[in-house]
Amino acid sequence: MSDKENYQLTVDQIIEKYNIEDIKAGLNDEQVRNQLAKDGLNKIEVAKEPKWKLFVRQFNNMIIYILMVAALITLLMGHYSDALVIALVVIINALIGYYQEANASEALEKIKQMLLTQATVYRNGTRDDISAEQLVVGDVVFLEAGDNVPADLRIFDADNLRIQEAALTGEPDSIEKIEGVIDNDKTPLAERKNMAYASTSVTSGSGKGIVVDTGSNTEIGKISSEISNTKSRKSPLMIELDKLGTQITYVIIAVSILLFILGLFMGTYSLSVLALAVVSMLVGAIPEGLPATTSVVLAMGVSDMAKKKHTIIKSLPAIETLGSVDVIATDKTGTLTKNEMTVKNIIIDDKNYNVTGDGYEPKGNVQFSGENIKMNSKMQLFLESGYEANDTVLTHENNNWEINGEPTDGAFLTLYHKVFGYHNHTNYQEVDMLPFDSDYRYIAKLVRDDNGQKKIFIKGSPDKLFNMTNKNDSSFNENYLNNQINDLSKQGKRVIAVGYKDVADDVNEINHDILKDGVTFLGLAAIIDPPREEVIQALKEMNSAGVSLKMITGDNPITAKAIGEQLGLANQISAVTGAQLDEMSNTEFKDAVLNNQVFARTTPKNKMDIIETLEDAGKVTAMTGDGVNDAPALKKADIGVAMGIEGTDVAKDSADMILTDDNFSTMAVAIKEGRRIYDNIKKSILFLLPTSFAEGLIIAFTILMNKEMPLQPTQLLWINMVSAITIQFAFIFEPAENGIMKRKPRNNKDRLLNKHDVFQMIYISCLIAIMGIVVFEWLTGHGYTDAVASTMVVNVVVFGKIFYLFNIRTSKPAISKELFTNMKAFWIIGLMIVLQLILTYIPFMQSYFYTANISLLDWLIVIASGAVVLIVAEFGKMIRMFLK
């Protein structure tokens, strides 16, 4: 018995397993105390990292280490202004990183809150309401409609008990609970009908259950453990940037050490002057603006998505990661479909009618051969029967159509209102009702019309109604209807039979015997949770962009595959279940994940394993979902995407991105935006690095030539940081390149910079450095002060950046129609020029940055130097275009 799961045990075996002395009286106080001491409270503990640790972690970066050392050295040497500016740069970068992490996911806290509820429990022979935290294994819990299930329970008494488990299983309909044993030891969570799970909700009926798991041992608790143990890997761009930053830093450190040794050997400079020169080179060559620039570009993309695209991006790198996604794994219910059951077909006699319109909004028509039908008495009676044999309410609030009750019943309400209008109702008054029960699988209502005549309207499982119909209709064509049911089932549709029975005026109660005497069959309704219309077009766009999609759902495989075919998920769709995956070897599992498009009856662990396998295969993954059961996979994926309206708090907090309008088609827009942002980040890096290297090269060449230093550390920091937060803003507003959604996703193993990029960085940095040194030497040789000459060098470097910007902005020639596609670039350049004028002429800035006034002729020299950079860079671009 101990090897069996709780759903495989009889109630007597459960009582024995948990040492329950009297199931009617429940546990006594001593048993509760002992169990609490053993298992603890029925809650999930969440360990939160202190905010100070988040802040300290921001300094764990190679570039930051170097800047901190540089600040310390300049401080010890008495260069206080230099040390202050460098320290400010370090702190600003740390604050940016801290802000990102401080707004990270709080999914575990949300899961914890899901268990903070009340529970009705039997203890010491009395029924009482207690805090759900105080529940222990062995407690007897009472459930009724409206309750949240407070712990994992084995049901032993069920009276029309139905529980909504979509957040855990993905099943859109409430599940009817039973008391009996389920023998299959591989039964998936969605089919364990004698179990109730914490965080799900009771939609109808009542029942009792024995607590078998509490706190972290519940299914929701296991999900929280998976979330806490799931490590999100860095985005491809962040990995490349970290690698690039580390490599650049190592090279710069090695060159600095070599120059320091050479300087000592040559003996040209005193130790203090040489040390300051090497620090200057470090500060100049290290691209300290790189983290800030990347963050700004990402942040602006995130802001734009929130304002214009109904998308909240919680993690800055996530917006770029979308651009490299090549597989999207998605939940079905509520993501690809509306999670609103809809009648799509009506079969009456030998006619198959189509119903237009999807979801609970009563907008659509009943059609035959593409034309709206003219109402006849049998169709009207069919619609009235489906409407009346119902225990659900359809409401219209805050511009949303919602139901309170069962989705299947809601579909019939919507169908009726499509034909007769939302404010129109039948003229029947309810007399008695027989609610749906799994034992007989139908719902029936006794009604009276305005003339006092009574009818019973009934809808339910076709086989049950067929048996009733055969008893009073010898011409009933059951074979024809069964063939129709088979065809509709293959389309993933659920088929419901509808009928009625005239009864005598003195009948005031329904019983099964009355119905078994026979009913008049009216027709069949085929119901499905319809695909979202916008998803089909979005999938076409994503397929053309080389992005494949895999559906991972808790729903049954027939329905899931049918939905996949309707969506155009792939040319050929194959499906596999979670139970089948569990039986596979590692090699078989990998093949199944790569070669199947639909994964049905999956558990949260299945979903996470699928994501992990895709990532191990080199895929960049996005996972979309809305339920608690999606949360671990949402966190595991390279980018998790949750639905903002229907999504649970746990799913939203586990995700990197939230679609506030639940519109999956926004994914295609987000992928395009991600690709644009990646392109612009790469452009900004190609722009930043050669100009940073040029500053370092100016110092390096000066040391090698035994000349006087042309630039101070604070001047170098000014060039890097101020240009990084002005000129590089231009790349934020660069529009997407033509055909950006026609190219395949980039390989996450590809280097950020190719050989040509490196070659271009070398000759552009050397060019700017040589021009800066030439200008400095010429000016100092012709009687200019060192301050004026240094100011000229600063402006030569900055204007070299400005002109180089026009080369980097586009792969087309700079002087073309592409020049004016980003007018904000001109405003940003204007701002940078104003800042340079402030640096050059304001006395306060002159004292801190060692600058001086320069003449109009000097400015012409500066502009000419920048023009040379553009001409050389454009010549290199022309050669590259010619070689292609």
Side-chain angles (χ1 to χ4, degrees):
M1 185 178 74
S2 60
D3 293 334
K4 291 186 176 182
E5 298 285 348
N6 286 314
Y7 63 84
Q8 296 176 268
L9 303 178
T10 66
V11 175
D12 289 338
Q13 289 172 323
I14 290 285
I15 291 172
E16 179 185 347
K17 179 178 179 180
Y18 294 106
N19 300 315
I20 303 171
E21 296 176 2
D22 185 350
I23 197 170
K24 292 182 180 179
L27 301 179
N28 58 45
D29 291 340
E30 184 180 355
Q31 289 174 308
V32 172
R33 283 194 298 271
N34 292 338
Q35 202 66 45
L36 276 174
K38 178 183 176 183
D39 297 330
L41 293 174
N42 178 35
K43 66 178 185 178
I44 299 168
E45 298 294 341
V46 180
K48 299 187 72 173
E49 186 173 21
K51 294 293 179 70
W52 67 267
K53 282 190 176 181
L54 290 181
F55 183 72
V56 170
R57 193 161 62 229
Q58 307 313 313
F59 296 91
N60 185 20
N61 178 290
M62 183 64 73
I63 290 177
I64 298 298
Y65 292 158
I66 300 303
L67 290 177
M68 289 169 70
V69 171
L72 180 62
I73 292 173
T74 51
L75 181 65
L76 294 174
M77 294 175 64
H79 294 265
Y80 300 119
S81 60
D82 294 348
L84 177 62
V85 173
I86 296 172
L88 285 173
V89 170
V90 171
I91 293 171
I92 289 170
N93 274 317
L95 288 173
I96 291 172
Y98 170 77
Y99 176 78
Q100 294 175 34
E101 289 206 40
N103 286 281
S105 159
E106 293 185 355
L108 299 183
E109 186 65 31
K110 291 293 183 182
I111 288 180
K112 178 182 176 183
Q113 291 173 6
M114 294 181 75
L115 294 182
L116 298 180
T117 184
Q118 293 291 109
T120 302
V121 63
Y122 291 87
R123 286 181 179 173
N124 301 305
T126 61
R127 176 170 149 176
D128 195 12
D129 289 333
I130 65 169
S131 168
E133 282 192 354
Q134 298 297 322
L135 279 178
V136 297
V137 171
D139 262 326
V140 177
V141 173
F142 175 78
L143 299 172
E144 62 182 345
D147 287 348
N148 287 325
V149 180
D152 286 3
L153 313 175
R154 168 64 164 88
I155 301 298
F156 69 86
D157 182 12
D159 182 9
N160 193 35
L161 178 65
R162 299 179 71 85
I163 297 180
Q164 170 61 261
E165 298 177 339
L168 273 179
T169 66
E171 282 279 13
D173 278 341
S174 298
I175 305 301
E176 182 160 13
K177 295 301 177 178
I178 63 174
E179 304 158 8
V181 174
I182 298 173
D183 291 327
N184 186 0
D185 62 353
K186 300 297 182 183
T187 303
L189 195 72
E191 296 177 7
R192 298 175 189 175
K193 295 187 176 182
N194 58 6
M195 298 290 296
Y197 295 104
S199 81
T200 60
S201 55
V202 180
T203 56
S204 65
S206 61
K208 296 176 184 175
I210 299 169
V211 176
V212 294
D213 281 307
T214 61
S216 299
N217 293 322
T218 61
E219 290 298 324
I220 190 76
K222 292 173 185 175
I223 289 175
S224 77
S225 296
E226 288 176 352
I227 293 174
S228 63
N229 294 328
T230 298
K231 303 294 184 183
S232 300
R233 67 176 183 174
K234 285 188 175 181
S235 73
L237 176 65
M238 292 299 107
I239 293 172
E240 278 295 312
L241 287 177
D242 286 348
K243 188 187 301 181
L244 181 65
T246 301
Q247 290 172 345
I248 289 171
T249 303
Y250 285 151
V251 170
I252 292 172
I253 290 173
V255 171
S256 299
I257 293 172
L258 181 61
L259 285 173
F260 186 77
I261 294 171
L262 285 173
L264 286 176
F265 179 76
M266 290 184 291
T268 306
Y269 306 101
S270 66
L271 184 60
S272 61
V273 171
L274 180 61
L276 184 61
V278 172
V279 168
S280 298
M281 189 202 141
L282 273 171
V283 170
I286 286 181
E288 58 269 14
L290 185 59
T293 299
T294 303
S295 294
V296 169
V297 174
L298 291 172
M300 292 297 289
V302 166
S303 176
D304 186 58
M305 290 295 287
K307 291 176 182 176
K308 302 176 183 178
K309 312 297 183 185
H310 306 288
T311 303
I312 298 171
I313 309 289
K314 293 166 54 185
S315 166
L316 291 185
I319 182 66
E320 179 280 326
T321 305
L322 276 166
S324 56
V325 163
D326 48 18
V327 177
I328 299 176
T330 178
D331 180 37
K332 176 183 74 69
T333 305
T335 304
L336 301 180
T337 63
K338 286 178 169 286
N339 196 18
E340 298 178 359
M341 299 301 288
T342 307
V343 175
K344 299 302 293 180
N345 301 87
I346 299 172
I347 295 175
I348 296 178
D349 297 329
D350 60 348
K351 291 184 177 179
N352 188 334
Y353 300 89
N354 294 315
V355 182
T356 62
D358 291 326
Y360 294 136
E361 182 180 4
K363 185 177 179 182
N365 300 101
V366 179
Q367 298 183 337
F368 184 75
S369 298
E371 298 290 334
N372 293 345
I373 65 165
K374 294 181 179 179
M375 186 55 58
N376 57 60
S377 59
K378 194 166 186 179
M379 175 63 77
Q380 181 167 340
L381 201 55
F382 175 92
L383 296 173
E384 290 174 342
S385 182
Y387 179 88
E388 286 294 336
N390 208 304
D391 193 25
T392 293
V393 178
L394 176 68
T395 59
H396 186 212
E397 296 179 1
N398 300 321
N399 208 31
N400 288 323
W401 294 91
E402 298 177 346
I403 63 163
N404 183 359
E406 292 302 312
T408 299
D409 288 348
F412 278 92
L413 293 180
T414 302
L415 174 64
Y416 180 87
H417 291 307
K418 281 180 180 179
V419 177
F420 298 109
Y422 177 59
H423 296 290
N424 291 321
H425 305 279
T426 65
N427 295 321
Y428 298 102
Q429 289 82 46
E430 179 180 343
V431 178
D432 192 24
M433 183 171 176
L434 196 64
F436 185 91
D437 190 287
S438 61
D439 288 338
Y440 43 85
R441 302 206 305 280
Y442 55 78
I443 182 173
K445 183 183 287 187
L446 173 63
V447 297
R448 180 178 57 245
D449 65 18
D450 292 340
N451 298 320
Q453 295 179 331
K454 292 181 179 178
K455 282 184 172 66
I456 295 176
F457 289 127
I458 181 173
K459 74 172 189 283
S461 174
D463 61 319
K464 293 294 183 181
L465 267 71
F466 288 176
N467 289 336
M468 299 174 190
T469 304
N470 281 325
K471 293 192 175 180
N472 68 349
D473 186 356
S474 58
S475 64
F476 181 62
N477 191 349
E478 187 172 345
N479 288 334
Y480 165 76
L481 292 172
N482 281 327
N483 289 334
Q484 294 293 315
I485 291 170
N486 288 335
D487 290 342
L488 293 168
S489 297
K490 289 177 182 176
Q491 299 170 29
K493 295 173 181 175
R494 181 178 302 155
V495 181
I496 307 296
V498 179
Y500 79 100
K501 181 183 181 71
D502 289 315
V503 295
D505 294 346
D506 60 350
V507 175
N508 293 310
E509 291 183 358
I510 308 177
N511 59 57
H512 298 298
D513 291 334
I514 295 176
L515 296 170
K516 288 178 181 177
D517 287 342
V519 300
T520 300
F521 180 77
L522 288 171
L524 299 173
I527 301 174
I528 198 168
D529 181 11
R532 293 178 179 269
E533 297 169 4
E534 67 274 9
V535 171
I536 297 173
Q537 182 58 40
L539 286 179
K540 288 180 181 178
E541 189 172 357
M542 284 188 273
N543 285 335
S544 69
V547 180
S548 62
L549 191 137
K550 295 183 183 292
M551 181 194 296
I552 309 177
T553 177
D555 213 340
N556 73 71
I558 295 175
T559 300
K561 185 177 179 183
I563 292 293
E565 290 169 348
Q566 292 179 42
L567 289 169
L569 206 62
N571 294 329
Q572 197 72 27
I573 294 178
S574 55
V576 64
T577 66
Q580 290 171 326
L581 291 173
D582 290 338
E583 297 296 318
M584 293 179 181
S585 65
N586 291 339
T587 302
E588 291 170 335
F589 188 92
K590 181 179 179 180
D591 290 340
V593 167
L594 295 176
N595 297 322
N596 286 276
Q597 295 77 38
V598 173
F599 302 85
R601 286 286 188 252
T602 53
T603 64
K605 187 177 186 305
N606 288 147
K607 294 185 180 188
M608 198 164 67
D609 289 343
I610 290 168
I611 294 296
E612 187 171 3
T613 300
L614 288 169
E615 291 178 348
D616 289 343
K619 304 292 185 182
V620 178
T621 60
M623 171 73 194
T624 68
D626 58 0
V628 176
N629 59 330
D630 300 315
L634 288 171
K635 188 174 180 183
K636 177 65 180 173
D638 291 305
I639 176 165
V641 183
M643 301 296 117
I645 299 173
E646 296 295 332
T648 60
D649 285 342
V650 178
K652 285 185 274 191
D653 285 327
S654 296
D656 305 292
M657 171 174 147
I658 299 170
L659 304 180
T660 58
D661 59 354
D662 282 13
N663 190 339
F664 182 82
S665 63
T666 305
M667 288 293 292
V669 177
I671 289 171
K672 181 178 181 180
E673 181 69 6
R675 292 185 176 188
R676 183 188 75 85
I677 286 174
Y678 173 81
D679 285 353
N680 290 343
I681 287 176
K682 181 173 180 177
K683 289 175 183 177
S684 68
I685 292 169
L686 289 174
F687 171 78
L688 174 65
L689 293 183
T691 50
S692 289
F693 293 161
E695 299 161 43
L697 286 175
I698 288 173
I699 305 299
F701 290 160
T702 302
I703 293 175
L704 293 174
M705 293 186 298
N706 297 326
K707 299 289 186 178
E708 190 173 344
M709 290 298 139
L711 291 171
Q712 301 296 319
T714 50
Q715 292 174 335
L716 293 164
L717 274 175
W718 169 272
I719 295 170
N720 281 354
M721 290 304 295
V722 175
S723 63
I725 59 176
T726 53
I727 295 182
Q728 286 181 229
F729 269 14
F731 294 110
I732 297 169
F733 306 106
E734 284 298 320
E737 299 273 358
N738 292 330
I740 197 169
M741 287 296 281
K742 296 295 183 183
R743 67 194 192 202
K744 300 300 180 185
R746 72 179 187 275
N747 190 327
N748 61 353
K749 294 181 180 178
D750 288 348
R751 291 182 176 274
L752 183 64
L753 305 177
N754 56 39
K755 291 180 180 178
H756 173 268
D757 297 331
V758 174
F759 177 66
Q760 180 168 312
M761 284 193 300
I762 292 172
Y763 73 73
I764 291 296
S765 57
C766 288
L767 175 63
I768 294 175
I770 290 169
M771 286 194 300
I773 292 172
V774 168
V775 167
F776 184 83
E777 290 298 317
W778 188 86
L779 291 175
T780 53
H782 288 76
Y784 284 78
T785 65
D786 289 348
V788 171
S790 288
T791 304
M792 282 287 289
V793 176
V794 170
N795 282 295
V796 165
V797 174
V798 168
F799 273 76
K801 282 175 174 276
I802 290 173
F803 278 88
Y804 187 49
L805 171 72
F806 290 102
N807 171 265
I808 290 295
R809 276 186 52 214
T810 174
S811 57
K812 305 264 185 358
I815 310 301
S816 66
K817 65 178 182 179
E818 303 296 325
L819 179 66
F820 301 106
T821 57
N822 180 7
M823 295 304 297
K824 290 185 177 67
F826 292 94
W827 289 100
I828 291 167
I829 289 169
L831 175 61
M832 184 65 198
I833 291 172
V834 169
L835 290 173
Q836 285 305 114
L837 292 174
I838 291 172
L839 176 76
T840 304
Y841 295 109
I842 300 297
F844 170 79
M845 299 295 286
Q846 290 176 341
S847 63
Y848 267 90
F849 291 93
Y850 312 106
T851 55
N853 297 347
I854 60 176
S855 67
L856 179 61
L857 178 62
D858 296 332
W859 280 113
L860 292 176
I861 295 172
V862 167
I863 293 170
S865 300
V868 170
V869 174
L870 177 62
I871 292 168
V872 172
E874 282 296 296
F875 183 69
K877 185 188 291 183
M878 290 174 60
I879 294 174
R880 186 168 70 255
M881 293 171 65
F882 177 77
L883 292 176
K884 283 185 178 180

